[in-house]
Each structure stands twice: as C-alpha cells, then as structure tokens.
C-alpha cells in the first residue's frame, strides 16, 4: 500500500474515465517509459524533490512537451496520494514548474490575407503528387472547419452520403460535454467528391490486399 507503481495504476484507472482514449494511451506510455523506471519500486512518501527534478531535467533534453506533462501528472498523483493518506504532502507544491520547465516562446505564423498567395496554396494542394490520402486530407482541410486530429481520425461511419452530412460523436471532439449533441456538418459537393474518391481508392486497396 503506497508503492508508487500501485498508486499510479490506481490513479490512472480513475483518470481513464475522464479523458479521451487517445489521451489516456499517451498518458500510460509516458508513465511506462519516463516515470516508472525511476519510481516504480519506491513508496510514494519516499520520493524526494531531487528525485523529481532529476527526471524532469533528463527528459527536457529530449522533449519540452513531455516534460511539462510529467510535471502535471506527478502533481495530480501526489494530490491524490495526500487525499488518500498515502503521503503527508505534495512535494511539487515546493517546486515552481517554471524553474525546471521554462516557458517556451511560441512562434506565431501570420495568416494568409493575400489572395494571390492563397491561390498558390490551393493549387499546390490540388496538384500534390505524393500520397493520395495526404492530398485528400489537405483538400478536406480547405473545405471543412475541422481540427487536424478530426480529419485524420475520421471514420466512414461518420459520413452519410445520402443525407450529405458528417456526424462526429461528441466523445471525439475537443469539447466532450455530454450535454452537447454530436457535431454535425453538411457536406458541400466538393467535400462529397473528395470523400467518394477516397472511398473508392480504399476499396481498391482492400481488394488488392485480399
């Protein structure tokens, strides 16, 4: 009782109910790859600030984003442990995240406002000679107000060619409020043509593999 591995697995099970499947899988991978190797055989109350700092400093050399997530995960895990009487305090309360994981300067790219440049972009997408699937995904981005993740994870079951509408389950959207209905969007003729082309291409590949 109180061993880090057991506490973490218990906490992760509770977190699974509150997060999307893809997010939870990434969280599990982070624990297995970047956290368990250092802490799994320790009692949660035995972990010290230098222990946590060492893990964060090693990881920040590889990935800023993962390091930031590790800090947040451990912070929540220690809060959970204090609540359940497994340790006396959250040691991360004594650490400023910014002292270890400095704020990253974001570079914002300007939006395209020049019609001529935008036409060049559209032309480049439509004459793209690489993967057909990538070309169609890029073409869809021009016509659908979807996040890149929703385009990449789109399933045929979401598409109704007869009613000319796309329905994405609320669980797959960024806002997962169960009180909101599934996201529905009418398809333009161009979107229908792109998706039908992709559907036919997928069918051909399936026949070849079969």
């Amino acid at each position: 009782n109180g061993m880090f591995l057991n506490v973490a697995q218990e906490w992760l099970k509770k977190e699974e109910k509150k997060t999307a499947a893809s997010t939870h899988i990434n969280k599990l991978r982070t624990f297995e790859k970047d956290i368990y190797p250092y802490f799994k055989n320790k009692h949660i109350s035995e972990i010290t600030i230098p222990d946590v700092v060492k893990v964060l400093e090693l990881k920040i050399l590889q990935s800023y984003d993962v390091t930031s997530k590790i800090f947040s995960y451990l912070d929540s895990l220690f809060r959970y442990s204090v609540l359940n009487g497994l340790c006396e305090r959250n040691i991360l309360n004594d650490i400023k995240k910014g002292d270890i994981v400095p704020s990253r300067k974001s570079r914002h790219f300007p939006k395209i406002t020049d019609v001529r440049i935008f036409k060049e972009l559209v032309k480049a997408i439509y004459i793209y000679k690489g993967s057909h699937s990538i070309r169609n995904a890029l073409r869809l981005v021009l016509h659908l107000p979807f996040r890149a993740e929703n385009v990449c994870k789109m399933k045929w079951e979401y598409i109704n060619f007869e009613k000319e509408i796309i329905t994405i389950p609320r669980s797959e959207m960024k806002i997962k409020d169960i009180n909101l209905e599934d996201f529905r969007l009418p398809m333009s003729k161009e979107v229908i043509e792109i998706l039908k082309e992709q559907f036919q291409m997928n069918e051909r590949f399936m026949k070849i593999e079969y």
Side-chain angles (χ1 to χ4, degrees):
N1 189 33
M3 294 302 291
F4 184 89
L5 180 62
N6 297 333
V7 178
Q9 290 177 340
E10 185 178 305
W11 176 75
L12 286 166
K13 285 182 180 179
K14 292 182 179 296
E15 287 291 298
E16 185 177 10
K17 300 175 183 178
K18 300 185 292 184
T19 55
S22 58
T23 302
H24 185 68
I25 290 172
N26 290 332
K27 190 178 295 185
L28 286 174
R29 287 174 179 166
T30 300
F31 269 84
E32 291 170 356
K33 180 181 178 183
D34 302 309
I35 301 177
Y36 286 157
Y38 302 96
F39 299 145
K40 66 179 180 180
N41 294 322
K42 286 190 174 185
H43 192 282
I44 189 101
S45 64
E46 296 175 345
I47 297 173
T48 64
I49 292 176
D51 290 334
V52 174
V53 170
K54 180 180 178 181
V55 172
L56 295 173
E57 288 181 340
L58 286 172
K59 193 61 188 178
I60 201 168
L61 299 174
Q62 302 172 357
S63 172
Y64 175 93
D65 291 333
V66 175
T67 306
S68 181
K69 289 178 181 177
I70 289 174
F71 186 97
S72 299
Y73 295 161
L74 291 176
D75 181 47
S76 297
L77 182 59
F78 273 103
R79 291 176 188 276
Y80 174 81
S81 300
V82 171
L83 179 64
N84 288 276
L86 301 174
C87 61
E88 294 184 0
R89 67 188 181 94
N90 176 8
I91 61 173
L92 269 70
N93 283 338
D94 300 328
I95 304 175
K96 282 188 177 181
K97 181 179 177 181
D99 290 340
I100 308 169
V101 189
S103 298
R104 183 171 59 178
K105 294 181 180 180
S106 300
R107 180 184 178 187
H108 299 284
F109 293 92
K111 58 182 176 294
I112 298 176
T113 57
D114 188 312
V115 175
R116 179 182 57 82
I117 295 177
F118 182 72
K119 286 182 177 179
E120 291 177 1
L121 172 64
V122 174
K123 182 180 179 180
I125 289 175
Y126 271 80
I127 64 174
Y128 175 70
K129 300 299 183 183
S131 164
H132 283 71
S133 294
I134 292 177
R135 184 189 65 182
N136 284 337
L138 291 172
R139 290 166 65 190
L140 283 175
V141 169
L142 293 173
H143 301 280
L144 296 176
F146 283 176
R147 296 166 59 238
E149 182 179 0
N150 292 126
V151 173
C152 294
K153 293 184 177 181
M154 193 182 301
K155 300 178 181 178
W156 291 117
E157 61 196 65
Y158 301 166
I159 300 164
N160 189 321
F161 286 113
E162 293 183 1
K163 295 183 179 180
E164 300 183 351
I165 193 168
I166 298 175
T167 302
I168 298 184
R170 178 55 51 185
S171 59
E172 297 298 323
M173 299 300 293
K174 186 174 183 180
I175 300 176
K176 303 183 187 302
D177 188 339
I178 60 174
N179 296 307
L180 297 176
E181 295 182 354
D182 294 339
F183 182 82
R184 293 179 174 83
L185 184 72
M187 294 188 290
S188 66
K189 291 182 178 180
E190 182 68 15
V191 169
I192 292 173
E193 289 181 7
I194 294 170
L195 290 173
K196 283 186 174 180
E197 178 186 320
Q198 184 68 27
F199 184 81
Q200 292 170 358
M201 185 172 60
N202 287 5
E203 280 194 323
R204 288 199 297 270
F205 285 146
M206 289 177 67
K207 289 179 181 178
I208 291 173
E209 291 179 359
Y210 181 77

